Amino acid sequence: MAPSSNTLRATSSNPLLSTKPSDTPLSVQLHPLVLLTISDYITRHTLRSQSGPITGAVIGEQNGREVTLEFAFETKISDKNDSDEVKLDEDFLTIRVEQYKEVHKAPPLDVVALFMLAPASGPQEWQVGVLKQVQTLLGNEGTMLLLFHPEGVASMEGGKLPISLYEPVRDVLDGTEELRFREVAFEVETGEAEMIGVDFVAKGGGSAVAVAQAATTGGAESSGAKDGKKAKGKGKGKEGETVAEGSETNGSAQHVLSPEDEELIASLTAKANAVKMLAQRVKLLRAYLAQLPESYLTDSTSEILPSDTTNHALLRNINALMVRQRLLAPSTSTPQSDTSSPINPSIATAASRAAADVHLTSLLASLTRATSEAQSMANKYKLVSRERTNKDRNMSSFTSSGGYGNGSMGTAEAGEF
């Protein structure tokens, strides 16, 4: 979480800005998906040469004075407005807000801000009317304004975002209460899942540019081929020029990289930069240790004691780093008897250990399977033995009951006779 470098601007140039400081300032966290949505909307609106202002809503969570700006979507300007005022399509806005609430139930999200384009001086009059319309429609008087400043894109310095966030406040002027705005500082918050999404969007944008370049190059190549066919019928000089142009086009087409190659190059570049940084840090540590006097701990004859300004904490960290370095170094085992083998002994030892682990895993799997089969066989034998015992018990009880009945009947018959 990085704090925003945006500083609060002077409020004397815009009459809509309040000069009264806040007693309990807001804690606002801005997520990058909101910035991506705003940038995409502005790009599409510009390339399509669409008319009308750029307006949108920001979805987030508000807990007291803590607000999060997590998602954003564009809004629709109403076509039924006869006046010159800018009015939003209330039906469209209500449906979209209900859809977002249905998706984001835990935690519940709601409209917390509106994003628009405005100069760096602050909000404008027509934006106040749009904000009041949304506040009345949604019943949330705390809806803020997120203003994007197009003129600040070309002059971005130090990672300063060309956006400003304003909180609506009620100021009493000459006995009347009027709506004013107070600029609010914000922080940029990025979650793990959001970082994955932003990285995917960045890679997708790079791939789209590469594909567009390839398509353009392919079109040039095909047009060059057609020109070459036409030139063959006209003359040798034209044909030679066309062949040269075709070779240049093919050469430029061969330099177009696929998305997989670009991803590999980016990964290798990151690793190379990490290695360079590690080399610079190691060089810095060596230079620091070289200027220190000889340690009396390693040289018993040394009479030079360390100065009072010696950073013992840094030396302990360097010592701990050297101790851990032994764990990262490859194992150096004694060479085998077969000196003609080109395989490194440490690599051979690691390979034999890996093979032993694989065999041990296979033996454990076989032992587990045999144990499971033996247990299944024991359960089956137990079940068969129980059924046999029950069958023998039933037969014996049936035989005994049958003999008792015959004996009683015989006695009764004897009595009758």
Side-chain angles (χ1 to χ4, degrees), residues 250-276:
N250 294 332
S252 62
Q254 293 177 358
H255 288 81
V256 177
L257 300 178
S258 62
E260 292 78 8
D261 295 338
E262 291 185 351
E263 184 177 357
L264 178 61
I265 292 176
S267 176
L268 294 178
T269 303
K271 293 180 180 179
N273 294 335
V275 172
K276 289 181 180 179

Side-chain angles (χ1 to χ4, degrees), residues 1-77:
M1 182 174 60
S4 173
S5 58
N6 293 10
T7 57
L8 303 181
R9 300 174 178 84
T11 60
S12 59
S13 59
N14 193 337
L16 294 177
L17 298 182
S18 175
T19 58
K20 183 179 178 181
S22 176
D23 298 333
T24 56
L26 282 174
S27 175
V28 182
Q29 295 179 355
L30 177 63
H31 289 254
L33 289 182
V34 176
L35 303 179
L36 290 177
T37 303
I38 297 175
S39 175
D40 177 70
Y41 183 25
I42 295 174
T43 302
R44 288 186 287 106
H45 191 277
T46 304
L47 294 179
R48 296 174 182 175
S49 301
Q50 296 178 350
S51 60
I54 295 178
T55 60
V58 182
I59 303 293
E61 182 182 4
Q62 184 171 3
N63 185 10
R65 300 295 290 176
E66 296 181 359
V67 183
T68 61
L69 308 179
E70 302 183 17
F71 306 98
F73 64 90
E74 58 189 77
T75 56
K76 184 179 179 182
I77 303 298

